Short mmCIF file of all heavy atoms in Angstrom, two decimals:
data_model
loop_
_atom_site.label_atom_id
_atom_site.label_comp_id
_atom_site.label_asym_id
_atom_site.label_seq_id
_atom_site.Cartn_x
_atom_site.Cartn_y
_atom_site.Cartn_z
N GLU A 478 5.50 4.97 4.62
CA GLU A 478 5.58 5.89 3.52
C GLU A 478 4.17 6.31 3.11
O GLU A 478 4.00 7.52 2.81
CB GLU A 478 6.37 5.33 2.42
CG GLU A 478 7.84 5.04 2.62
CD GLU A 478 8.65 6.33 2.87
OE1 GLU A 478 8.23 7.51 2.62
OE2 GLU A 478 9.81 6.23 3.40
N GLN A 479 3.26 5.40 3.04
CA GLN A 479 1.89 5.74 2.59
C GLN A 479 1.23 6.69 3.68
O GLN A 479 0.50 7.56 3.32
CB GLN A 479 0.95 4.56 2.26
CG GLN A 479 0.62 3.60 3.35
CD GLN A 479 -0.50 4.14 4.28
OE1 GLN A 479 -1.38 5.02 3.89
NE2 GLN A 479 -0.39 3.73 5.56
N ALA A 480 1.60 6.43 4.94
CA ALA A 480 1.15 7.35 6.00
C ALA A 480 1.73 8.82 5.91
O ALA A 480 1.00 9.80 6.11
CB ALA A 480 1.46 6.73 7.32
N ALA A 481 3.06 8.74 5.53
CA ALA A 481 3.65 10.10 5.52
C ALA A 481 3.08 10.91 4.30
O ALA A 481 2.89 12.12 4.47
CB ALA A 481 5.11 9.89 5.22
N GLU A 482 2.67 10.22 3.21
CA GLU A 482 2.10 10.81 2.15
C GLU A 482 0.63 11.29 2.57
O GLU A 482 0.26 12.49 2.19
CB GLU A 482 1.97 9.79 1.03
CG GLU A 482 1.52 10.29 -0.30
CD GLU A 482 2.51 11.05 -1.06
OE1 GLU A 482 3.81 10.88 -0.80
OE2 GLU A 482 2.23 11.82 -2.04
N ALA A 483 -0.12 10.56 3.32
CA ALA A 483 -1.46 10.98 3.77
C ALA A 483 -1.27 12.14 4.75
O ALA A 483 -2.11 13.15 4.63
CB ALA A 483 -2.09 9.82 4.54
N PHE A 484 -0.35 12.08 5.53
CA PHE A 484 -0.09 13.29 6.57
C PHE A 484 0.17 14.47 5.73
O PHE A 484 -0.32 15.55 6.09
CB PHE A 484 1.20 12.87 7.52
CG PHE A 484 1.31 13.71 8.56
CD1 PHE A 484 0.70 13.47 9.96
CD2 PHE A 484 1.99 14.83 8.51
CE1 PHE A 484 0.92 14.24 11.00
CE2 PHE A 484 2.24 15.73 9.68
CZ PHE A 484 1.59 15.40 10.89
N THR A 485 0.97 14.43 4.76
CA THR A 485 1.28 15.52 3.83
C THR A 485 0.02 16.09 3.22
O THR A 485 -0.17 17.32 3.17
CB THR A 485 2.34 15.07 2.90
OG1 THR A 485 3.41 14.47 3.45
CG2 THR A 485 2.84 16.29 2.05
N VAL A 486 -0.76 15.26 2.75
CA VAL A 486 -2.03 15.68 2.15
C VAL A 486 -2.97 16.43 3.13
O VAL A 486 -3.43 17.59 2.80
CB VAL A 486 -2.87 14.43 1.61
CG1 VAL A 486 -4.34 14.83 1.29
CG2 VAL A 486 -2.26 13.76 0.50
N TRP A 487 -2.95 16.03 4.31
CA TRP A 487 -3.83 16.69 5.45
C TRP A 487 -3.21 17.92 5.98
O TRP A 487 -3.90 18.90 6.16
CB TRP A 487 -4.01 15.68 6.70
CG TRP A 487 -4.81 14.52 6.38
CD1 TRP A 487 -5.87 14.27 5.49
CD2 TRP A 487 -4.52 13.17 7.05
NE1 TRP A 487 -6.36 13.09 5.60
CE2 TRP A 487 -5.51 12.25 6.46
CE3 TRP A 487 -3.60 12.65 7.90
CZ2 TRP A 487 -5.64 10.93 6.87
CZ3 TRP A 487 -3.65 11.46 8.25
CH2 TRP A 487 -4.64 10.54 7.73
N ARG A 488 -1.95 17.87 6.22
CA ARG A 488 -1.31 18.92 6.99
C ARG A 488 -0.35 19.87 6.17
O ARG A 488 0.13 20.93 6.74
CB ARG A 488 -0.49 18.40 8.08
CG ARG A 488 -1.23 17.34 8.97
CD ARG A 488 -2.47 17.88 9.74
NE ARG A 488 -2.19 19.01 10.65
CZ ARG A 488 -3.10 19.56 11.41
NH1 ARG A 488 -4.29 19.13 11.37
NH2 ARG A 488 -2.72 20.53 12.33
N GLY A 489 -0.07 19.46 4.90
CA GLY A 489 0.79 20.30 4.08
C GLY A 489 2.25 20.31 4.56
O GLY A 489 2.93 21.19 4.18
N ILE A 490 2.62 19.27 5.32
CA ILE A 490 4.00 19.25 5.88
C ILE A 490 4.34 17.80 5.91
O ILE A 490 3.72 16.94 6.25
CB ILE A 490 4.04 19.99 7.26
CG1 ILE A 490 5.54 19.82 7.72
CG2 ILE A 490 3.16 19.25 8.25
CD1 ILE A 490 5.72 20.65 8.93
N ARG A 491 5.57 17.60 5.29
CA ARG A 491 6.02 16.17 5.02
C ARG A 491 6.89 15.75 6.23
O ARG A 491 7.85 16.29 6.51
CB ARG A 491 6.81 16.00 3.77
CG ARG A 491 7.32 14.60 3.46
CD ARG A 491 7.83 14.50 2.13
NE ARG A 491 6.68 14.57 1.14
CZ ARG A 491 5.88 13.58 0.63
NH1 ARG A 491 6.17 12.40 1.17
NH2 ARG A 491 5.04 13.75 -0.37
N PRO A 492 6.45 14.71 6.98
CA PRO A 492 7.21 14.17 8.04
C PRO A 492 8.39 13.29 7.59
O PRO A 492 8.25 12.70 6.51
CB PRO A 492 6.16 13.36 8.90
CG PRO A 492 5.19 12.85 7.92
CD PRO A 492 5.11 13.90 6.83
#
Side-chain angles (χ1 to χ4, degrees):
E478 294 293 348
Q479 65 75 29
E482 189 78 19
F484 192 94
T485 309
V486 169
W487 293 325
R488 310 298 298 186
I490 178 166
R491 180 170 290 276

